[in-house]
């Protein structure tokens, strides 16, 4: 982990609007929506990360801790807290993110894939941001229709099989 000052970082707060599938590759996509705006940021992610995000969004518990639950429990055990997740870079069609933790009176930055940062931030109740630079360099997507109701996500979760996704871009490709 490395420390980083956030004073010069211009960010847009985002919320997870939902999950969907790429109609061509069937790869899962997490959709971030700008708070108070219409801007959407789709980020292609892996099957397991999509499942981790969907479970927390739908408030579905598991008998044993999943990986992101384990990470959240570890952060808590170490008397730290997840402050925020920031999608902070876009290189060669791949998004990069950072997790900011507060521990021992200091803020610490941890490099992360966007999907992992989002899954952990959701579990910790921490805000999610995207830098304005990343938004400026991303494909422009505006809200044109409703992405679906929670029941649709629940049905998707119940039906999903690993074979449904085939080969997907690596976590964070867009």
């Amino acid at each position: 982990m490395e420390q980083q000052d956030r004073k010069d970082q211009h960010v847009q707060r985002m919320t997870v609007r939902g999950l969907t599938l790429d109609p061509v590759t069937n790869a899962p996509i997490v959709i971030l929506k700008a708070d108070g705006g219409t801007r959407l940021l789709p980020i292609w992610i892996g099957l397991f990360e999509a499942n981790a995000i969907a479970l927390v969004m739908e408030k579905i518990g598991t008998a044993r801790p999943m990986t992101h639950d384990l990470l959240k429990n570890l952060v808590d055990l170490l008397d730290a807290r997840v402050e925020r997740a920031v999608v902070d870079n876009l290189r060669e069609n791949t998004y990069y993110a950072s997790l900011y933790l507060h521990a021992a009176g200091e803020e610490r930055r941890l490099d992360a894939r966007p999907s992992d940062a989002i899954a952990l931030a959701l579990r910790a109740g921490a805000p999610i941001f995207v830098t304005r630079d990343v938004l400026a360099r991303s494909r422009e997507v505006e809200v044109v229709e409703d992405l679906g109701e929670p029941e649709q996500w629940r049905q998707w979760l119940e039906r999903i099989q690993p074979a449904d996704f085939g080969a997907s871009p690596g976590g964070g490709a867009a």
Side-chain angles (χ1 to χ4, degrees):
M1 275 193 280
E2 58 183 337
Q3 295 179 335
Q4 179 171 319
D5 189 343
R6 89 177 235 216
K7 283 183 239 171
D8 6 284
Q9 202 168 44
H10 301 286
V11 295
Q12 167 67 54
R13 188 168 179 156
M14 308 290 274
T15 55
V16 177
R17 179 63 180 92
L19 294 163
T20 191
L21 294 175
D22 182 311
V24 176
T25 65
N26 282 331
I29 304 169
V30 61
I31 307 292
L32 298 180
K33 181 179 179 287
D35 281 6
T38 59
R39 178 69 193 266
L40 296 177
L41 180 65
I43 300 176
W44 277 248
I45 61 175
L47 172 62
F48 297 112
E49 294 78 11
N51 184 53
I53 292 169
L55 286 171
V56 73
M57 287 178 63
E58 293 299 318
K59 298 177 177 57
I60 297 171
T62 58
R64 302 288 300 147
M66 303 298 286
T67 303
H68 296 93
D69 300 313
L70 177 66
L71 288 172
K72 168 65 171 76
N73 293 344
L74 180 60
V75 167
D76 291 345
L77 181 70
L78 295 173
D79 201 25
R81 95 179 153 267
V82 177
E83 290 287 323
R84 66 193 177 284
V86 181
V87 179
D88 54 13
N89 203 352
L90 173 61
R91 277 193 319 261
E92 299 175 12
N93 294 324
T94 299
Y95 289 97
Y96 294 80
S98 297
L99 274 167
Y100 290 85
L101 305 173
H102 188 268
E106 294 184 30
E107 183 172 83
R108 303 275 185 167
R109 179 189 164 276
L110 180 64
D111 182 40
R113 296 182 304 176
S115 54
D116 292 327
I118 291 166
L120 189 54
L122 288 172
R123 281 166 174 74
I128 299 164
F129 297 94
V130 176
T131 64
R132 295 197 187 278
D133 175 63
V134 167
L135 286 172
R137 294 187 296 125
S138 300
R139 283 184 252 158
E140 185 74 21
V141 179
E142 298 287 330
V143 177
V144 292
E145 63 183 72
D146 193 322
L147 295 175
E149 297 300 318
E151 183 57 31
Q152 289 175 302
W153 303 120
R154 191 178 341 273
Q155 290 172 4
W156 177 73
L157 259 180
E158 290 171 359
R159 296 190 313 261
I160 197 167
Q161 299 291 320
D164 293 340
F165 295 101
S168 64

